[in-house]
Amino acid sequence: MDKAGAADRTTQRVRMISLMSSAFALAGCAGTLRGPLPAEDQRGFRDEAMDFLKRAAFSDEPVMRMQAIEAMQEVAPREGFQYIEGNINNGYAGVCFAALMAVGTLREASVLDRVRTLAEDSDPNVRIAALYALHRLGDQKRTGELSDFLLKHRDARVRANAALAIGRLKEPGSAHVLNLALRREQKDAVKLQIMEALALLGDSVGIERLLFAGHSAAPDQSALALMFLANAGAEEAEELFRYRLDVADQPEIKLQAARGLGKLGQDDGLDLALAYLYFNSPDRRRKNDPPEQQIVRIRALAALALEAIGSPQALAALHRAFNQAGQSDLVRLAIARAAVAIIDRAPPSAG
């Protein structure tokens, strides 16, 4: 999906510590939520989850499409490629961006001609994703245009998407232009995206600045920094992840810390994420953050944390939450990708 757009929309507002207590109260003893699924139920759950992801990839809702494309890229690239390919020429720029980034990540040369055409698209975000895909497919003649978008474009979202693409290329020589852009950039959301790109390159400047931001008293900034450190798999962040898992008032920060530890092979956040999978106690005093939005966001983040942790002991809870009456489709999508990842990662008898 359009990660810069997501960064600009970091309306993950301050949450009260009572929300965490409410989550555990609702779920009961967190340990009781642990449990695997029998092998036959795992197979059925995986089929159900994949069917949901496939339908979501052609949803009328662009956000559902973008998240389904990203999910398939991450957890089921072979099964999902026809659905990714089917969105390359989608009329919505964010969906095109997600599909082209997936094509590049998966190095699917079968669509190279279509990618070349989209490198001339009128939308700069689509062009950025197409240039990323071209580079990954071996055509690097135009990769330098990404630097121009990052350094010169007037639109902050375009600059952030350029940083995202440059970071995903993981070319060590890109550190210079990213550091130059970081010194020039005025927008905080774009700065964080540049820091993630640097962290993906293993650059100490990007990692250190994200570590600093992860300690921020501003919840949105802290949660986003933790997410980017997790995306980069930064081992330097392990201490910060542990600290924020224990010392944070907001569920979003705790769940991003749990996800970060999961990416590093640690399951310290398993019980917390299982509890928040059933979160149903939003803070109704929060302005510009409706209760329904809080519930969807926190449950989805819990599912993503469980995906990163990868424990088969989460499967029973994920299955129940997936089939919970009234469950949001966005939450079900996050659960579906987590289920596919966990089931494919471990033998059916694991747990």
Side-chain angles (χ1 to χ4, degrees), residues 16-28 249 251 276 279 281:
M16 304 303 290
I17 194 167
S18 60
L19 299 184
M20 181 183 71
S21 302
S22 299
F24 280 101
L26 175 66
D249 293 349
Y276 276 126
F279 175 78
S281 302

Side-chain angles (χ1 to χ4, degrees), residues 63-82:
V63 172
M64 286 288 290
R65 285 198 180 213
M66 289 186 286
Q67 293 194 12
I69 291 166
E70 183 175 334
M72 288 179 173
Q73 169 197 311
E74 294 293 329
V75 305
R78 291 185 180 179
E79 293 168 84
F81 180 67
Q82 63 177 304

Side-chain angles (χ1 to χ4, degrees), residues 105-140:
T105 298
L106 301 176
R107 288 194 165 101
E108 284 289 347
S110 61
V111 294
L112 179 57
D113 288 342
R114 293 166 66 187
V115 174
R116 285 197 175 108
T117 299
L118 288 166
E120 310 298 335
D121 195 85
S122 60
D123 189 293
N125 299 292
V126 174
R127 294 205 302 277
I128 286 169
L131 292 170
Y132 166 84
L134 284 176
H135 182 102
R136 293 277 296 176
L137 294 172
D139 183 351
Q140 302 176 12

Side-chain angles (χ1 to χ4, degrees), residues 192-238:
L192 284 167
Q193 190 68 70
I194 296 170
M195 291 175 206
E196 186 209 26
L198 286 165
L200 287 166
L201 299 178
D203 183 89
S204 60
V205 172
I207 293 172
E208 288 171 5
R209 292 191 63 168
L210 284 175
L211 289 171
F212 181 80
H215 284 284
S216 173
D220 297 352
Q221 185 178 59
S222 178
L224 197 59
L226 292 171
M227 182 182 77
F228 287 158
L229 286 165
N231 291 347
E235 294 182 358
E236 298 91 331
E238 181 176 351

Side-chain angles (χ1 to χ4, degrees), residues 93-268:
V95 176
C96 292
F97 182 91
L100 286 165
M101 292 295 291
V103 165
T105 298
L106 301 176
R107 288 194 165 101
E108 284 289 347
S110 61
V111 294
L112 179 57
D113 288 342
R114 293 166 66 187
V115 174
R116 285 197 175 108
T117 299
L118 288 166
E120 310 298 335
D121 195 85
S122 60
D123 189 293
N125 299 292
V126 174
R127 294 205 302 277
I128 286 169
L131 292 170
Y132 166 84
L134 284 176
H135 182 102
R136 293 277 296 176
L137 294 172
D139 183 351
Q140 302 176 12
K141 295 188 296 293
R142 299 180 57 187
T143 305
E145 294 176 35
L146 293 174
S147 298
D148 291 335
F149 281 119
L150 175 62
L151 295 171
K152 300 176 182 178
H153 206 280
R154 297 174 60 185
D155 189 324
R157 183 173 300 183
V158 172
R159 297 197 301 276
N161 274 336
L164 169 67
I166 292 170
R168 294 296 188 272
L169 288 176
K170 297 184 180 180
E171 295 286 349
S174 300
H176 173 73
V177 70
L178 288 167
N179 276 300
L180 176 61
L182 187 58
R183 291 193 293 271
R184 292 182 179 181
E185 185 57 55
Q186 300 297 313
K187 296 287 186 179
D188 287 342
V190 183
K191 286 181 181 179
L192 284 167
Q193 190 68 70
I194 296 170
M195 291 175 206
E196 186 209 26
L198 286 165
L200 287 166
L201 299 178
D203 183 89
S204 60
V205 172
I207 293 172
E208 288 171 5
R209 292 191 63 168
L210 284 175
L211 289 171
F212 181 80
H215 284 284
S216 173
D220 297 352
Q221 185 178 59
S222 178
L224 197 59
L226 292 171
M227 182 182 77
F228 287 158
L229 286 165
N231 291 347
E235 294 182 358
E236 298 91 331
E238 181 176 351
E239 183 178 348
L240 173 63
F241 291 146
R242 293 188 184 281
Y243 174 74
R244 294 307 256 165
L245 184 67
D246 292 335
V247 183
D249 293 349
Q250 297 78 27
E252 292 87 344
I253 294 176
K254 287 182 173 289
L255 289 167
Q256 292 291 3
R259 177 174 173 266
L261 286 170
K263 290 278 190 177
L264 297 178
Q266 309 295 327
D267 69 353
D268 300 54

Side-chain angles (χ1 to χ4, degrees), residues 42-61:
Q42 286 191 33
R43 288 190 292 270
F45 187 19
R46 190 191 186 286
D47 289 344
E48 192 176 10
M50 278 305 305
D51 286 344
F52 185 86
L53 291 176
K54 291 173 182 178
R55 292 195 303 274
F58 291 118
S59 167
D60 292 335
E61 296 294 328

